[in-house]
Amino acid sequence: MKPSRALVGFTLIELLLVIAVIGVLASLLLPALSLAKAKARLTQCTSNLRQWSLAYRQYADDNEDYLPRRGQGVNPLNQIDRPTDWFNALPPYLKLSSYQQIFTNHQRLSAHSQSVFVCPDATDPGSNHFLPYGMNMNLCPWGNSGRTEPAKFAQVVHPALVVTLADAPGPYSATYPSKNPYSPLPRHSNRLSILFLTGNAQSFHGDYVGCGSGEPGREDVRWLTGTVSDSEAGKY
């Protein structure tokens, strides 16, 4: 008796057809999945920045409206023991250890760690220190050997438009649009995450904000602060 069709297995042609269909579906779904993961990492990055914004405001409230310092500016981070540098001054407001404490306890920050210090898309360049976010180099610099008074929150002109923190290369505690290696790093599919002084965080195309080229003078993304530090911005 000839076996019924229901008892016959897949033919080779049918099997190859099923495999081809699965391959087509995978080719359609994998890019979408990759894009969804990238968006999730960008969302986590902006969430990290918003947490830092709360610390900035609380620090100013506790320190006569003064802002924390940017750190070492154009030089790679080396001095980590100043309590008013942002990476030491702000973490206690988030119930975290300061960067100095983390580093001296041999708990160096690493890429992909679950920390508000670390952008989820950041890679470690292998430098001595690793800070994937950098403070606006023109916001509250140390000036001449630390003798320049720190900026006050209320002194900043249009604070809702002034950059506070942004994605940075890693070896530096501060960043500023430039052709130099401390320039902001648009690591989210060529988009840069930015925190503004009043707490808004969003991403911009790297070219729009001057990554790797120089301060473009945008009205809606300002690296100049309206304070005395603007006179030094041309040196960055």
Side-chain angles (χ1 to χ4, degrees):
M1 178 182 294
K2 186 177 181 178
S4 67
R5 177 63 177 166
L7 298 178
V8 177
F10 286 113
T11 67
L12 178 60
I13 293 177
E14 288 171 331
L15 185 58
L16 291 175
L17 181 60
V18 170
I19 292 173
V21 170
I22 292 173
V24 170
L25 290 175
S27 68
L28 294 174
L29 293 175
L30 288 178
L33 180 60
S34 178
L35 180 60
K37 289 182 177 180
K39 287 184 176 180
R41 293 192 297 271
L42 176 59
T43 298
Q44 181 60 53
C45 180
T46 53
S47 176
N48 288 350
L49 291 175
R50 289 189 183 100
Q51 291 186 65
W52 286 115
S53 76
L54 298 175
Y56 269 97
R57 182 67 266 182
Q58 290 175 303
Y59 178 90
D61 289 343
D62 287 346
N63 291 274
E64 300 179 348
D65 205 41
Y66 287 112
L67 293 168
R69 299 284 194 171
R70 69 178 187 187
Q72 288 180 255
V74 300
N75 296 312
L77 183 60
N78 182 47
Q79 186 174 356
I80 63 171
D81 59 352
R82 294 187 296 208
T84 56
D85 282 344
W86 73 270
F87 47 82
N88 289 327
L90 299 183
Y93 290 97
L94 302 177
K95 301 186 184 308
L96 300 172
S97 298
S98 69
Y99 180 82
Q100 180 186 11
Q101 291 171 323
I102 293 171
F103 189 80
T104 55
N105 288 335
H106 305 290
Q107 298 173 335
R108 185 180 182 277
L109 297 173
S110 60
H112 312 302
S113 60
Q114 298 297 312
S115 169
V116 295
F117 275 107
V118 180
C119 167
D121 271 336
T123 56
D124 189 344
S127 52
N128 190 33
H129 295 282
F130 179 50
L131 280 177
Y133 298 121
M135 186 168 166
N136 179 356
M137 197 173 291
N138 194 47
L139 181 63
C140 208
W142 279 96
N144 297 321
S145 302
R147 291 191 292 272
T148 302
E149 187 176 70
K152 287 191 173 185
F153 198 110
Q155 291 174 335
V156 177
V157 178
H158 301 301
L161 305 176
V162 171
V163 176
T164 305
L165 285 177
D167 286 320
Y172 303 84
S173 63
T175 189
Y176 195 83
S178 170
K179 294 181 180 180
N180 293 305
Y182 51 73
S183 186
L185 185 63
R187 58 172 63 98
H188 304 283
S189 300
N190 207 30
R191 296 187 69 84
L192 179 77
S193 294
I194 288 177
L195 172 69
F196 296 94
L197 191 54
T198 54
N200 180 40
Q202 61 187 104
S203 67
F204 296 84
H205 196 277
D207 291 342
Y208 184 80
V209 293
C211 295
S213 56
E215 209 283 295
R218 304 293 185 190
E219 284 297 315
D220 57 337
V221 183
R222 301 186 181 189
W223 297 88
L224 299 180
T225 64
T227 66
V228 295
S229 62
D230 287 353
S231 62
E232 298 292 311
K235 300 177 181 179
Y236 303 145

